[in-house]
Amino acid sequence: MPRVKLFKPKSFDFETILYLRIYDINYGGHMGNDTVLRLAHEARIKFLNSLDLCEKDFYGSGLIMADSAIVYKQQAFYGDKLTIQVSVTELYPYGFDLFYLIINTDSNLEVARLKTGLVCYDYIHKKVVDLSPDFKEKFG
């Protein structure tokens, strides 16, 4: 089976700093694989907040995750300071992709890169809805 490849975008739309906490560490003594999605979630919330948006109110709809892919590059450990860069990389009729680059701030080594596919979703009517024209204009 071929390996997942995620290509780094030319530019990023947002950046934040997060620190690895003790409960982010697995029995191997390094960052757990599940932690990467939690870090991406935190970075996504901060990115959306920087746009005065949130997952439950995204231009009048909500957001739901359709898929994710992760490529691990380096181990990370308790207390590590991580820079997470976020970029809107693809727009679709009903959603968009976010790319996340996680870098160890002190060593400048890439820890992981990941992508999440987000779909605009009407939680009341339980259906997918169109991506906001305002978001398309901002990131298209």
Side-chain angles (χ1 to χ4, degrees):
M1 178 165 89
R3 301 273 320 247
V4 172
K5 290 183 175 37
L6 296 174
F7 299 99
K8 188 166 53 169
K10 292 179 180 152
S11 64
F12 291 90
D13 302 303
F14 180 78
E15 181 175 295
T16 190
I17 302 287
L18 298 173
Y19 291 85
L20 284 182
R21 301 145 308 179
I22 194 62
Y23 53 85
D24 295 326
I25 307 305
N26 66 17
Y27 59 85
H30 56 253
M31 178 179 66
N33 61 332
D34 56 323
T35 297
V36 175
L37 278 174
R38 282 198 305 274
L39 293 171
H41 189 200
E42 181 72 23
R44 181 171 60 253
I45 296 300
K46 289 181 172 206
F47 167 63
L48 292 172
N49 287 343
S50 77
L51 302 171
D52 292 324
L53 300 168
C54 67
E55 290 180 328
K56 292 294 270 181
D57 186 9
F58 182 79
Y59 297 99
S61 70
L63 291 174
I64 193 166
M65 190 180 301
D67 59 37
S68 63
I70 303 171
V71 176
Y72 303 96
K73 299 287 196 170
Q74 247 350 281
Q75 293 181 22
F77 302 95
Y78 172 71
D80 281 355
K81 179 180 180 182
L82 302 176
T83 300
I84 304 175
Q85 298 174 310
V86 181
S87 180
V88 178
T89 55
E90 297 286 335
L91 299 177
Y92 305 103
Y94 304 107
F96 58 96
D97 285 349
L98 287 180
F99 178 95
Y100 312 78
L101 181 65
I102 302 175
I103 299 167
N104 181 308
T105 308
D106 295 328
S107 69
N108 204 35
L109 292 174
E110 188 175 323
V111 174
R113 48 178 74 179
L114 64 148
K115 167 267 207 248
T116 58
L118 299 162
V119 173
C120 300
Y121 190 73
D122 181 333
Y123 279 90
I124 294 170
H125 297 101
K126 308 285 189 222
K127 67 177 190 170
V128 171
V129 296
D130 290 338
L131 179 62
S132 162
D134 292 336
F135 191 80
K136 286 181 191 176
E137 184 178 315
K138 187 170 189 82
F139 294 102

